[in-house]
Amino acid sequence: GEDVEQSLFLSVREGDSSVINCTYTDSSSTYLYWYKQEPGAGLQLLTYIFSNMDMKQDQRLTVLLNKKDKHLSLRIADTQTGDSAIYFCAESMGNDMRFGAGTRLTVKP
Amino acid sequence: DSGVTQTPKHLITATGQRVTLRCSPRSGDLSVYWYQQSLDQGLQFLIQYYNGEERAKGNILERFSAQQFPDLHSELNLSSLELGDSALYFCASSDRDNGNTIYFGEGSWLTVV
């Protein structure tokens, strides 16, 4: 497909792990990103991964990259209510970045 | 705080009017990007400037224009506004021309009535 695709909604219980999935478009994308947007706020860069990596871990966040399938995922361990937000997957394409529509993560106490 | 500053934060204006949104990039960043986020279109790339020059153009309407000034701040001009232009407009900046990480401002909420 031509779009960066993400599922629109995800709901988890506090303390569980969240996994947000993304399918991107260009196998030559150099960087892939996860951004977080809280209500009424801008996009905050959470993490990024170089295309020559399979995995990147940063505290509670784990990013997995499957280049063959052009699939990117973000795992949030021990999800907290403060993690409730919209999460955007993005790929860099030269001078442009292409974003998915965002996954709204709801964390229930 | 990303270091990218946008003004105004909120703006309400009437159809047919013209507005200017302003962005100050992070200190030292040469690239400025503009994005539009609306409910039905998601996050859309509009345009990028690098050190004063236009570098890339996305889904930017002809009624919209932008520029980057010598001090590296940027302005997005929206004219002949329509109801459908109501959206959150983000500015982002980075220190390089491409293939790099960009940092977003808080956005400017534009409501056209």
Side-chain angles (χ1 to χ4, degrees):
Chain A
E2 294 186 356
D3 294 332
V4 176
E5 296 183 348
Q6 305 177 235
S7 51
L8 293 180
F9 301 98
L10 177 65
S11 180
V12 301
R13 292 216 171 271
E14 191 174 16
D16 288 350
S17 291
S18 307
V19 179
I20 304 172
N21 294 303
C22 168
T23 304
Y24 60 97
T25 65
D26 190 343
S27 58
S28 64
S29 291
T30 311
Y31 299 81
L32 295 137
Y33 304 84
W34 285 104
Y35 283 85
K36 175 184 180 183
Q37 184 180 28
E38 297 185 50
L43 274 71
Q44 172 197 354
L45 177 66
L46 273 183
T47 186
Y48 64 93
I49 188 169
F50 293 107
S51 59
N52 63 358
M53 297 170 65
D54 297 324
M55 185 185 83
K56 180 179 180 181
Q57 187 152 3
D58 183 3
Q59 299 182 339
R60 293 190 297 122
L61 305 179
T62 303
V63 178
L64 295 178
L65 175 60
N66 180 331
K67 285 194 70 174
K68 175 176 169 290
D69 295 335
K70 292 186 280 188
H71 184 264
L72 184 73
S73 68
L74 173 69
R75 179 177 181 269
I76 306 173
D78 187 24
T79 313
Q80 303 297 307
T81 53
D83 296 324
S84 292
I86 301 175
Y87 291 81
F88 291 90
C89 162
E91 60 178 337
S92 67
M93 302 177 68
N95 289 325
D96 187 10
M97 282 183 71
R98 188 170 292 184
F99 287 80
T103 299
R104 182 179 295 275
L105 174 65
T106 302
V107 183
K108 298 179 180 178
Chain B
D1 182 4
S2 68
V4 179
T5 304
Q6 290 187 244
T7 57
K9 291 196 184 313
H10 301 274
L11 186 58
I12 301 175
T13 191
T15 54
Q17 295 299 305
R18 182 178 189 275
V19 299
T20 298
L21 309 180
R22 194 178 190 278
C23 170
S24 294
R26 293 188 319 158
S27 177
D29 282 0
L30 298 178
S31 269
V32 170
Y33 305 75
W34 286 97
Y35 286 83
Q36 179 194 57
Q37 185 180 32
S38 60
L39 285 175
D40 57 345
Q41 293 288 326
L43 196 61
Q44 297 284 322
F45 168 68
L46 295 179
I47 198 164
Q48 181 211 357
Y49 281 83
Y50 178 78
N51 204 20
E53 293 186 2
E54 183 183 303
R55 263 296 192 264
K57 225 170 191 178
N59 299 321
I60 187 166
L61 300 172
E62 285 191 10
R63 299 183 286 109
F64 297 178
S65 65
Q67 54 185 327
Q68 186 180 27
F69 295 87
D71 67 352
L72 301 177
H73 92 270
S74 178
E75 292 181 356
L76 179 67
N77 300 297
L78 314 174
S79 62
S80 303
L81 285 167
E82 302 175 359
L83 295 177
D85 298 327
S86 296
L88 184 55
Y89 291 85
F90 285 111
C91 172
S93 74
S94 70
D95 60 355
R96 290 168 60 186
D97 191 10
N98 63 30
N100 50 278
T101 303
I102 66 174
Y103 295 87
F104 283 78
E106 296 284 305
S108 292
W109 279 99
L110 173 65
T111 302
V112 182
V113 296

